[in-house]
Amino acid sequence: MLSLFEHIFIIIPYSLCFKSNSSLLPFNFHPTVQNPVWENVAGVLVTPSAYKELLLYTFDRTGAEAMGLPVRIIHLGFMSAITLTIIASMQAVGVILVISLLVGPALTAYLLVKELHQMMILGAIIGAVASLSGVYISFYLKHVPSGPAIVIVSSGLFILALLFSPSQGILTQRFRLPSSGN
């Protein structure tokens, strides 16, 4: 599910930029990554078409099995998609940035909303904001590489959500007024 947004916001624009041999992005990408655009578009189309199955499998594996869904095939496909996303991303941006972009936006969105479709959308927005902000920081502060800047922005957004989340924030819970429902 996360790879849908990674394809939309990272891999497809990257592939388009390097197919035309133009250096439009100030990322420190590895120059040998050449993903065909059709593979990335396939990733974008597969995720929404299997949303219900992935949702049921993710939150109720026994229920998915009882409904007759091919749980082993879904598990194999899900793990394969995540593995291939990680491998392709590691070649493009490196280990630390991949971990930061896979975990940071998803956890931040989890702290802020409760519905899966909202988490997916908000996670994509948070990942895009962290990436663009990190690139701008790298552009304006000449000695700051873009990868670490993106990681710092993503981590900062997570810390803000951890502290101020309406339902799970550390400071929000600490200073919440007690309810008078006796």
Side-chain angles (χ1 to χ4, degrees):
M1 286 179 268
L2 188 60
S3 72
L4 166 71
F5 299 108
E6 182 177 301
H7 278 89
I8 291 172
F9 290 113
I10 297 174
I11 297 176
I12 290 176
Y14 171 76
S15 297
L16 292 173
C17 288
F18 281 92
K19 283 291 181 187
S20 64
N21 292 326
S22 64
S23 179
L24 298 177
L25 297 175
F27 289 109
N28 296 326
F29 284 127
H30 194 275
T32 60
V33 178
Q34 298 282 327
N35 288 336
V37 175
W38 66 268
E39 288 178 8
N40 301 318
V41 172
V44 170
L45 296 177
V46 167
T47 303
S49 66
Y51 176 77
K52 289 181 183 177
E53 291 80 6
L54 289 174
L55 178 67
L56 186 58
Y57 168 77
T58 302
F59 291 105
D60 188 11
R61 186 173 179 169
T62 306
E65 198 169 2
M67 290 182 63
L69 291 176
V71 175
R72 287 186 175 181
I73 293 172
I74 292 172
H75 178 75
L76 180 64
F78 195 50
M79 293 302 123
S80 298
I82 291 172
T83 303
L84 292 174
T85 299
I86 290 171
I87 290 170
S89 300
M90 282 178 31
Q91 290 177 350
V93 296
V95 176
I96 302 297
L97 189 55
V98 168
I99 292 169
S100 175
L101 287 177
L102 282 175
V103 175
L107 288 177
T108 305
Y110 176 77
L111 289 171
L112 298 174
V113 295
K114 295 297 166 221
E115 297 290 325
L116 180 64
H117 65 279
Q118 293 172 344
M119 283 183 220
M120 291 171 64
I121 293 167
L122 186 59
I125 292 169
I126 291 168
V129 166
S131 298
L132 291 173
S133 300
V135 168
Y136 278 116
I137 289 170
S138 174
F139 181 75
Y140 288 111
L141 302 175
K142 300 295 183 197
H143 298 290
V144 177
S146 59
I150 294 169
V151 171
I152 289 170
V153 171
S154 179
S155 300
L157 291 173
F158 171 73
I159 290 169
L160 286 173
L162 184 64
L163 292 174
F164 300 109
S165 169
S167 61
Q168 302 178 39
I170 294 171
L171 295 178
T172 308
Q173 288 181 355
R174 186 162 196 209
F175 296 112
R176 185 171 290 154
L177 295 174
S179 62
S180 59
N182 289 355

